[in-house]
Amino acid sequence: MKLKALIIEDNEQNMYMLTFLLENNNYEVFQAFNGLDGIKAAIEHSPDVILLDIQLPQMDGYQIAKELRKKNDLQHIPIVAVTSHAMVADREKAMESGATGYIEKPIDPDNFIQRMESYFSEELQQRKIRL
Ligand code: MN
């Protein structure tokens, strides 16, 4: 069974690139283009990792992370904020909202997966290795 990744991202190009990278690295990908759909998809699919854009219409990524962390079943899932906000304050805000880690845009395809997986728990890293 593949690891499941949920991408919450409103930009088509970024969505395409993240999906491409994840699928090439043997992930099953679920896509959501806004926060409400993202939260629904997280509940429905229990992904192993969530990639979360911060600048989104309606709910922003900070609000989405907070909502996700309220749900018991979703508390252990690594949430990686992917955002062009490069300021330290934004990074801190993402972490305070419940994100596990932070990767800046523009995405570097050569190390994105490695950086994302560095935020995995030991248990999840072992599962990935055994696949
Ligand atoms: Mn966006």
Side-chain angles (χ1 to χ4, degrees):
M1 225 172 76
K2 294 180 174 186
L3 292 190
K4 294 183 279 188
L6 168 63
I7 308 169
I8 306 174
E9 165 67 80
D10 64 330
N11 179 280
E12 292 275 355
Q13 258 183 303
N14 290 332
M15 179 65 92
Y16 179 85
M17 182 166 182
L18 290 170
T19 301
F20 177 83
L21 285 171
L22 286 158
E23 286 182 347
N24 270 352
N25 283 274
N26 203 33
Y27 282 82
E28 182 179 5
V29 173
F30 301 94
Q31 298 181 332
F33 289 86
N34 61 64
L36 279 182
D37 288 346
I39 291 165
K40 275 189 214 155
I43 293 165
E44 188 181 342
H45 301 296
S46 323
D48 296 294
V49 58
I50 297 171
L51 294 173
L52 179 62
D53 182 25
I54 296 297
Q55 288 175 293
L56 288 158
Q58 298 133 17
M59 286 176 102
D60 66 23
Y62 306 122
Q63 289 175 281
I64 296 166
K66 280 185 196 155
E67 287 301 315
L68 292 171
R69 288 307 189 211
K70 282 184 194 163
K71 310 206 185 289
N72 281 334
D73 295 347
L74 306 179
Q75 277 174 12
H76 67 288
I77 302 173
I79 297 174
V80 181
V82 184
T83 175
S84 50
H85 290 214
M87 306 282 289
V88 174
D90 294 319
R91 190 178 314 202
E92 280 167 7
K93 199 170 165 192
M95 304 305 276
E96 279 164 17
S97 304
T100 313
Y102 186 99
I103 300 175
E104 280 141 35
K105 289 175 185 170
I107 293 152
D108 180 352
D110 292 334
N111 66 22
F112 182 83
I113 296 291
Q114 194 188 349
R115 289 188 63 190
M116 178 189 81
E117 291 176 348
S118 76
Y119 296 117
F120 285 10
S121 64
E122 187 64 29
E123 188 268 333
L124 188 53
Q125 297 202 12
Q126 289 303 320
R127 268 178 60 207
K128 171 74 184 171
I129 290 164
R130 286 196 298 269
L131 287 175

